[in-house]
């Protein structure tokens, strides 16, 4: 096995990973809960960018429902973001698992 060739491949993959992370930071995911009453926008780096709440769901007598909708929408946005990340990483690594290498 040629160590020099292996190092070049690792450097190339690292550069591609950096590019991918920048690209994912620009991608947007929108998730909703409660039939669109709560909307969360996230990016491909699992960062929440915005949260919108329909005024109709704001009920001082039922704050718990609003909290549940927010949690549901955030969790869905995070799930979609993680799925997008995994899909793009799979393309980059050719489907080979790289535990601990990327995060």
């Amino acid at each position: 096995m040629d160590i020099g060739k292996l190092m070049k491949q690792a450097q190339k993959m690292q550069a591609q990973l950096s590019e991918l992370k920048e690209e994912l930071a620009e991608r947007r995911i929108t998730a909703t809960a409660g039939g669109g009453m709560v909307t969360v926008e996230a990016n491909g780096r699992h960062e929440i960018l915005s949260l919108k709440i329909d005024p109709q769901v704001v009920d001082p007598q039922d704050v718990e429902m609003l909290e549940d909708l927010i949690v549901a929408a955030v969790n869905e946005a995070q799930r979609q973001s993680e799925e997008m990340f995994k899909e793009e990483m799979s393309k980059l690594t050719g489907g080979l698992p790289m535990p601990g290498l990327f995060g």
Side-chain angles (χ1 to χ4, degrees):
M1 179 178 284
D2 182 0
I3 298 293
K5 185 176 179 181
L6 188 59
M7 290 300 292
K8 281 186 178 186
Q9 287 176 328
Q11 289 172 342
K12 181 180 177 184
M13 187 174 279
Q14 188 173 19
Q16 289 173 326
L17 177 62
S18 292
E19 289 176 24
L20 176 61
K21 285 183 176 182
E22 288 178 28
E23 180 186 327
L24 289 173
E26 299 300 317
R27 289 196 189 176
R28 300 293 181 257
I29 296 162
T30 302
T32 63
M37 299 297 268
V38 174
T39 303
V40 173
E41 184 179 42
N43 66 18
R45 293 179 67 182
H46 318 304
E47 299 168 334
I48 302 302
L49 304 173
S50 70
L51 170 69
K52 294 184 179 145
I53 300 171
D54 187 314
Q56 293 178 337
V57 79
V58 180
D59 179 356
Q61 304 302 313
D62 194 3
V63 173
E64 189 175 318
M65 180 185 70
L66 178 56
E67 292 169 343
D68 289 345
L69 290 175
I70 291 169
V71 168
V74 168
N75 285 339
E76 178 60 17
Q78 294 286 6
R79 187 196 66 72
Q80 288 181 28
S81 177
E82 180 67 22
E83 188 63 35
M84 181 172 60
F85 178 79
K86 286 179 180 178
E87 185 178 310
E88 292 302 321
M89 284 304 299
S90 179
K91 290 178 190 175
L92 180 65
T93 64
L96 295 175
M98 301 290 198
L101 186 57
F102 307 109

